[in-house]
Amino acid sequence: MKIKITLLMLALAQYYCAQLSDCGEAIAKIDNHQLEIKELSRQVNYYKNLLNLSKAVRSSAFEDVQYTINQVTGSKKDGTILVRFTYRNLNDHPRKILQCEKAVIVDTQGNQHQTNQVYLSPNGGRILANDVLAKIPYQGAMVFKKSTAYFPVIKALLVYAYPLDNLTSPKPVVFENIPVIWE
């Protein structure tokens, strides 16, 4: 009788140990799936943000260059406004030089905010881009510092760009009624 009980106990112990090992494998699989879900969620957020950045809010052309405002975000913490845009040479041949001097925003109450922080990114520099290739979009940004008014819409955004035939006086490229996302 003792032998039968011992054998039964050994069989149950083996069965129980097998169940525990299966449980450990299942927990490992669940952990791997959770890591995959977290990584895929991060990628989805990245692509969603990228698609929002490529969506045009406002667009304007000047001297065969298409300027497109993609996103305007304001930071309530430090009062800065970041304007992200793309520009593209619409000509069939490269443009030797593209230069923007400054940018001005006019809020809904008529107050003007000016910046010289206009970044054109092909060469990582400010206000100047050399050898802008045809039909290829480039990203740029403008940073406006220390805004104390949190307005929902920019009434007008003026980007002062230099024409090719007159590099002494910039002409404004005008965008109107641009929504601002405050964070």
Side-chain angles (χ1 to χ4, degrees):
M1 185 75 170
K2 285 185 181 181
I3 295 175
K4 289 182 182 179
I5 293 176
T6 308
L7 286 174
L8 182 63
M9 293 296 272
L10 284 173
L12 288 174
Q14 286 178 347
Y15 179 73
Y16 181 70
C17 288
Q19 289 294 326
L20 285 179
S21 67
D22 288 344
C23 187
E25 290 174 13
I27 289 173
K29 285 182 182 179
I30 289 172
D31 290 341
N32 286 338
H33 288 305
Q34 285 177 341
L35 289 174
E36 286 178 24
I37 289 170
K38 193 179 286 187
E39 176 63 23
L40 289 173
S41 297
R42 188 186 64 76
Q43 289 177 8
V44 165
N45 287 337
Y46 170 78
Y47 287 119
K48 194 183 294 186
N49 188 26
L50 187 66
L51 287 173
N52 283 339
L53 286 179
S54 64
K55 186 172 38 172
V57 176
R58 299 287 182 267
S59 185
S60 183
F62 175 74
E63 289 249 329
D64 290 332
V65 176
Q66 180 77 31
Y67 297 92
T68 304
I69 303 295
N70 297 336
Q71 185 179 37
V72 180
T73 55
S75 172
K76 289 184 178 180
K77 186 182 349 178
D78 59 358
T80 60
I81 298 173
L82 176 65
V83 178
R84 294 177 188 218
F85 66 96
T86 58
Y87 58 94
R88 183 173 42 170
N89 181 5
L90 299 176
N91 241 338
D92 291 332
H93 43 81
R95 184 181 173 112
K96 295 271 186 208
I97 189 169
L98 176 65
Q99 184 173 357
C100 295
E101 180 184 54
K102 64 182 177 180
V104 176
I105 57 174
V106 180
D107 62 17
T108 53
Q109 296 176 350
N111 300 322
Q112 293 186 3
H113 307 277
Q114 179 177 334
T115 187
N116 291 332
Q117 293 182 342
V118 179
Y119 299 99
L120 304 174
S121 66
N123 56 359
R126 294 174 64 182
I127 72 171
L128 178 67
N130 294 319
D131 299 322
V132 178
L133 299 176
K135 311 289 187 213
I136 296 176
Y138 294 95
Q139 290 187 356
M142 294 172 256
V143 180
F144 294 89
K145 297 274 185 174
K146 300 300 179 191
S147 173
T148 56
Y150 304 119
F151 40 87
V153 174
I154 294 174
K155 189 173 182 180
L157 169 64
L158 305 149
V159 180
Y160 286 90
Y162 286 96
L164 283 175
D165 60 349
N166 187 4
L167 293 177
T168 58
S169 64
K171 304 291 182 205
V173 180
V174 180
F175 303 92
E176 294 180 339
N177 299 324
I178 304 169
V180 180
I181 301 168
W182 289 96
E183 299 172 342

